[in-house]
Amino acid sequence: MGDLAIFVLIISLQSLMCNVYCSCLNQSSSENILEDSFSFPSDFLFGTASSAYQYEGAFLAEGKGLNNWDIFTHEYPGKIRDANNGDMAVDQYHRFMEDIQLMTSLGVNSYRFSISWSRVLPRGRFGSINYSGITYYNRLIDALISRGIKPFVTLNHLDYPQELENRFQSWLSPEMQKDFLYLANICFKHFGDRVKLWTTLNEPNNQIILSHLRGTFPPSRCSLPYGNCSQGNSETEPFIAAHNVILAHAKAVQLYRTKYKEEQKGIIGIVVQTSWFEPISDSIADKAAAERAQAFYSNWILDPVIYGKYPKEMVNILGSALPRFSRKEVECLKESQSDFVGINHYTSYFIQDCLLSSCNIGVGASKVEGYALKLDRKGNLTIGEPTDINWQHIHPEGFRKMLNYLKDRYHNIPMFITENGFGDLQKPETTVKELLNDAKRIQYMSGYLDALQSAMRDGANVKGYFAWSLLDNFEWLYGYKLRFGLYHVDPVTLKRTPKRSASWYRNYIGENIRRRYD
């Protein structure tokens, strides 16, 4: 080959390489522009979430009655990791103005909180209204609105008057539907002129599993081998309780639609706990098991609420153990469809089939849980990065998959992420300085918010994101040892101190609000 030919060949190769490289560079730049150009809708809500028992404190103050968690934590302190209770919690009842100032500094435009049923109705419908409780919530709502923060109100978040347990075993009786409707009517009447975002109940699927299947939450009803309780039947009672919860929700929605919505112009939904369930293999059996796991967890509530019937996987496996909706109840469900669903999401699991295959005993492996064993690892591979608490792994991709699953299954119903956050388990040697320097929480929130953006690009109709939680608080069976807050709360003085994650969330909100107008 002559010198000229070699020169031409070299130039041609350089040109080809440049074209390929430049093409890749341009593609990468386009992708980066696409990533950077994402902006949340102008009406998107950024907030923080809380619940009455975990935050308010003010035990029996100003007419409040005893609730199920008051009785449980007082009578069985050994069931709480630090033998503590919510008598004081973080005392938001007396410090809500201070906490609203923290929200203002974060730049949030909404705050999710729940009504303490026993503060408004100390004995349910069997006693009088406690107007001191009504006054408290009016003051809280007015203070939020005055600072441009929309109240996002949950009617019930796990706590209810103990009177209802004593009289008819709470959610095991249809009578509970009447009591919940009574509570809903009072709240719509007194607060609905200002509250435009309502949810009926917080994650009843998870609540019922813990209270009536495993018996670790009050009223501690279960049977062997699911838990060691003095009363209850784990193979029937969870489904009875869920049936009453679903109908209570539907009747509250129906009430709002027929009596209040036209004038108050709000929207109403329900909150479910979700986890992403990844098949442990590509086998047909494991893929079917992952679908059963969803059916026996979040779809257990969402299918009736949205479609008026239980998931077919539950019907096929449980048969007559699963209650049936009457024709009138089906009509009620169809006429009272939620305006949106609230999604609480924290983690993912691998799922192994136990219906067609033999598998180890464990959570999910039984008939009442769908023969779908939940695992946090396959071999040496964990599903995401492990954390200090055994039920939470950092797996943002599972969040994206979960939102797309819900989008496809429920015709892209509007969704709010009503809880998402990272828990630090405080060990004896943990210092306050370490708790404040919460880099892992920032990593978690950053990854999950990126996954949320990806799901929204995929078309998921998400309307808001609420971090759990504004403050370290009483975390149920963990007491005050498990900390999810953006602000540290001193256990003695209750002083609120911002963690690094508070600054990070403030900056994230600010950047994304600015991006809307760029």
Side-chain angles (χ1 to χ4, degrees):
M1 185 179 293
D3 290 344
L4 179 60
I6 292 172
F7 176 76
V8 171
L9 179 60
I10 290 172
I11 294 297
S12 299
L13 287 172
Q14 287 178 336
S15 176
L16 177 62
M17 290 175 66
C18 179
N19 288 338
V20 172
Y21 175 75
C22 292
S23 173
C24 291
L25 190 63
N26 289 336
Q27 182 180 358
S28 177
S29 299
S30 299
E31 289 174 354
N32 287 337
I33 290 170
L34 181 62
E35 292 288 323
D36 293 340
S37 66
F38 176 86
S39 59
F40 289 95
S42 60
D43 59 351
F44 193 86
L45 298 183
F46 284 107
T48 60
S50 69
S51 87
Y53 186 77
Q54 295 175 274
Y55 265 61
E56 287 179 5
F59 172 65
L60 299 186
E62 298 183 296
K64 175 188 167 292
L66 287 168
N67 66 43
N68 56 328
W69 276 90
D70 294 327
I71 297 298
F72 180 72
T73 55
H74 286 201
E75 293 189 357
Y76 308 102
K79 292 181 182 278
I80 310 300
R81 184 167 292 207
D82 59 1
N84 219 315
N85 54 56
D87 289 6
M88 179 65 72
V90 293
D91 196 29
Q92 189 167 85
Y93 188 83
H94 297 108
R95 300 169 186 251
F96 68 86
M97 290 300 297
E98 176 186 352
D99 292 342
I100 290 174
Q101 184 56 45
L102 300 182
M103 297 178 217
T104 302
S105 72
L106 285 177
V108 300
N109 56 10
S110 188
Y111 178 53
R112 179 179 175 235
F113 65 92
S114 72
I115 303 295
S116 169
W117 194 335
S118 58
R119 194 177 298 284
V120 172
L121 293 166
R123 300 179 59 223
R125 62 192 156 97
F126 302 101
S128 58
I129 298 171
N130 177 32
Y131 284 96
S132 293
I134 299 291
T135 299
Y136 165 70
Y137 290 113
N138 275 327
R139 291 174 62 212
L140 173 61
I141 290 165
D142 289 344
L144 288 167
I145 292 172
S146 71
R147 285 155 182 81
I149 301 172
K150 295 181 180 180
F152 192 116
V153 179
T154 299
L155 292 171
N156 180 238
H157 192 125
L158 276 66
D159 58 306
Y160 52 79
Q162 181 64 25
E163 178 90 14
L164 309 183
E165 189 65 45
N166 296 343
R167 280 181 179 264
F168 48 70
Q169 298 181 329
S170 65
W171 289 112
L172 289 178
S173 170
E175 291 294 309
M176 195 68 159
Q177 299 175 36
K178 299 176 184 177
D179 265 277
F180 186 72
L181 195 61
Y182 187 60
L183 169 71
N185 188 54
I186 288 169
C187 292
F188 297 151
K189 177 181 177 181
H190 288 279
F191 312 133
D193 59 327
R194 288 149 295 151
V195 174
K196 307 304 175 186
L197 297 161
W198 294 98
T199 57
T200 52
L201 298 115
N202 180 76
E203 54 185 48
N205 54 328
N206 195 48
Q207 175 188 351
I208 289 167
I209 287 169
L210 296 175
S211 62
H212 288 83
L213 192 147
R214 307 216 168 271
T216 54
F217 275 22
S220 299
R221 297 183 67 89
C222 66
S223 57
L224 295 173
Y226 306 96
N228 187 15
C229 305
S230 61
Q231 56 188 349
N233 185 332
S234 297
E235 296 190 350
T236 58
E237 290 187 359
F239 308 109
I240 295 169
H243 201 73
N244 286 314
V245 161
I246 291 162
L247 291 172
H249 158 81
K251 290 176 180 179
V253 172
Q254 190 177 54
L255 171 69
Y256 187 74
R257 290 264 174 78
T258 56
K259 189 174 179 180
Y260 294 100
K261 185 178 178 69
E262 183 176 356
E263 181 179 349
Q264 295 181 355
K265 302 187 183 341
I267 56 176
I268 188 167
I270 192 170
V271 174
V272 295
Q273 173 74 278
T274 69
S275 295
W276 176 247
F277 299 128
E278 185 75 27
I280 202 163
S281 79
D282 290 332
S283 72
I284 294 174
D286 286 334
K287 288 179 179 179
E291 187 59 38
R292 289 199 305 276
Q294 294 291 2
F296 277 73
Y297 198 53
S298 51
N299 301 356
W300 177 17
I301 305 298
L302 289 178
D303 272 26
V305 163
I306 295 173
Y307 294 131
K309 58 184 179 181
Y310 286 114
K312 65 180 186 300
E313 295 86 354
M314 294 188 77
V315 175
N316 292 341
I317 288 176
L318 296 174
S320 61
L322 191 65
R324 299 186 61 161
F325 295 111
S326 68
R327 183 176 298 177
K328 184 177 180 181
E329 289 168 346
V330 170
E331 290 175 4
C332 176
L333 288 166
K334 290 183 177 180
E335 291 171 0
S336 56
Q337 287 199 12
S338 296
D339 296 310
F340 64 90
V341 294
I343 303 301
N344 293 354
H345 186 92
Y346 292 91
T347 195
S348 301
Y349 296 92
F350 287 120
I351 296 295
Q352 180 183 347
D353 170 61
C354 298
L355 178 63
L356 302 176
S357 318
S358 60
C359 63
N360 295 327
I361 296 172
V363 175
S366 68
K367 175 180 178 179
V368 297
E369 297 167 290
Y371 295 119
L373 179 64
K374 294 181 182 179
L375 298 165
D376 66 357
R377 65 189 64 226
K378 56 177 179 180
N380 294 324
L381 176 67
T382 60
I383 187 154
E385 182 181 345
T387 70
D388 287 340
I389 43 178
N390 60 7
W391 56 263
Q392 186 171 36
H393 286 65
I394 303 175
H395 187 235
E397 182 58 24
F399 188 33
R400 179 181 183 176
K401 289 180 178 180
M402 187 73 242
L403 293 176
N404 278 309
Y405 175 87
L406 294 168
K407 167 178 67 80
D408 295 339
R409 185 176 183 91
Y410 299 111
H411 304 307
N412 211 8
I413 188 171
M415 292 181 279
F416 289 90
I417 310 308
T418 39
E419 288 183 26
N420 176 245
F422 176 83
D424 286 312
L425 188 61
Q426 187 173 359
K427 308 178 188 72
E429 68 275 14
T430 306
T431 65
V432 173
K433 183 178 180 181
E434 289 171 330
L435 290 171
L436 296 179
N437 185 25
D438 58 342
K440 190 63 71 174
R441 179 168 291 106
I442 294 171
Q443 174 197 335
Y444 180 96
M445 292 181 68
S446 177
Y448 276 72
L449 280 161
D450 283 350
L452 171 60
Q453 289 189 20
S454 296
M456 292 177 72
R457 286 193 196 93
D458 297 336
N461 189 13
V462 182
K463 300 295 188 180
Y465 173 90
F466 292 79
W468 185 272
S469 180
L470 179 70
L471 307 171
D472 291 337
N473 60 81
F474 180 82
E475 285 291 347
W476 310 116
L477 299 183
Y478 287 90
Y480 299 94
K481 295 297 184 183
L482 184 56
R483 295 169 174 265
F484 277 87
L486 300 172
Y487 287 82
H488 173 268
V489 178
D490 184 274
V492 178
T493 66
L494 301 182
K495 179 183 177 183
R496 282 80 156 130
T497 304
K499 302 177 186 178
R500 278 183 58 198
S501 58
S503 296
W504 181 88
Y505 194 39
R506 179 188 304 114
N507 292 336
Y508 185 91
I509 293 171
E511 289 170 3
N512 281 281
I513 287 176
R514 284 195 300 273
R515 189 174 295 174
R516 294 171 181 173
Y517 304 105
D518 289 346

